Amino acid sequence: MFGGERMSLENITYPLTMTHRRTNITSKPFDNPHIRQIIDRMIRTVTTLNPGAPLICDPFANKSFTSGLYNCITNDLNPEFDTTFNLEFHDFAKKMKDNCMKFDLILFDPPYSLRQLKEQYNGIGKDLELWQTHNMWSKGKDDLIDCLIEGGYIISFGWHSSGWGKKRGMVKKEIHLFEQVAREDRYDLILTIERKEQSKLELLFEGIEE
């Protein structure tokens, strides 16, 4: 498990890979070579599953490398960033759903806390709405999950491994813990990979006998 080696946990009901690595984590985790290696692997995975035209979504792109990918729809609240859209996440997710977009992979790297969210909004001179302070991303996730194909993947970043959850049809496949090197004042980063294995309709009727 340690030093980046993988370990399958047989006592879990589904195959789950967990890793631990000590590395330097900055405010742009996509720039970390170990994290980028995982992202590139998942991009190759969805390309194999959909060799025609796999579509990727990055709702919080910032200055990410994803803005340079021809098959990636990018978004960032800050209009200074050269992304496909510059919308609040909730509005972006609804727009994707209304336009019947279908993604093979979603990269989800939002602000991890209310403090980070406030800093993001203050940085562009906007005010937070009340609903955002209570539940930052839930409604947007509910809309955007409809845009993920069955069998598609979500890579989530944060200080927990909750991901998008079973209620949205997601099953955890991998959890990677990145421990901050030589900085006890910084949190570790957790990367969670989930796969969509049920639709909302299947979840609605789950457990109902004929």
Side-chain angles (χ1 to χ4, degrees):
M1 178 176 179
F2 298 100
E5 297 177 1
R6 299 189 177 190
M7 180 180 70
S8 294
L9 304 182
E10 296 179 354
N11 61 335
I12 295 181
T13 55
Y14 48 84
L16 179 64
T17 298
M18 300 183 70
T19 69
H20 169 272
R21 183 182 292 275
R22 299 183 72 245
T23 185
N24 181 43
I25 301 295
T26 68
S27 59
K28 298 180 177 61
F30 287 13
D31 291 342
N32 182 284
H34 307 299
I35 292 175
R36 179 64 181 273
Q37 186 178 35
I38 294 173
I39 294 174
D40 289 344
R41 170 170 58 83
M42 293 309 301
I43 291 176
R44 289 194 300 270
T45 297
V46 298
T47 300
T48 301
L49 296 174
N50 183 7
L55 192 58
I56 302 168
C57 176
D58 187 352
F60 297 89
N62 203 276
K63 296 179 180 179
S64 169
F65 76 97
T66 56
S67 295
L69 298 178
Y70 75 93
N71 60 336
C72 187
I73 303 296
T74 57
N75 177 70
D76 198 276
L77 180 67
N78 193 332
E80 293 184 3
F81 296 127
D82 185 22
T83 50
T84 315
F85 297 97
N86 296 111
L87 301 171
E88 193 275 325
F89 173 62
H90 175 103
D91 297 327
F92 170 75
K94 186 176 186 303
K95 189 176 187 68
M96 295 299 99
K97 181 177 179 179
D98 290 346
N99 284 287
C100 300
M101 299 298 294
K102 293 298 177 183
F103 298 109
D104 299 86
L105 175 66
I106 296 174
L107 301 175
F108 192 68
D109 185 32
Y112 304 153
S113 65
L114 182 58
R115 178 185 62 80
Q116 289 187 352
L117 185 63
K118 287 180 178 178
E119 290 174 353
Q120 181 183 30
Y121 272 72
N122 291 339
I124 59 174
K126 296 189 72 172
D127 295 323
L128 284 174
E129 300 290 339
L130 181 62
W131 65 267
Q132 292 170 314
T133 65
H134 290 288
N135 199 333
M136 293 187 286
W137 317 125
S138 182
K139 182 61 174 69
K141 286 181 175 181
D142 289 343
D143 284 336
L144 197 57
I145 195 65
D146 288 337
C147 300
L148 184 68
I149 66 167
E150 195 158 345
Y153 291 87
I154 298 177
I155 304 178
S156 300
F157 297 80
W159 293 333
H160 57 76
S161 60
S162 299
W164 289 43
K166 184 178 180 181
K167 71 175 184 178
R168 296 187 179 93
M170 303 302 295
V171 173
K172 288 184 178 67
K173 294 298 182 181
E174 301 179 25
I175 297 176
H176 302 273
L177 172 63
F178 293 93
E179 180 185 351
Q180 191 67 254
V181 174
R183 289 298 302 268
E184 295 182 357
D185 60 327
R186 291 187 181 181
Y187 291 109
D188 298 337
L189 177 66
I190 299 176
L191 183 158
T192 305
I193 298 177
E194 299 167 285
R195 187 172 187 265
K196 187 176 183 181
E197 298 190 354
Q198 286 183 293
S199 66
K200 282 186 177 179
L201 185 61
E202 289 172 328
L203 288 168
L204 181 63
F205 289 99
E206 188 178 62
I208 298 178
E209 298 182 358
E210 294 184 359

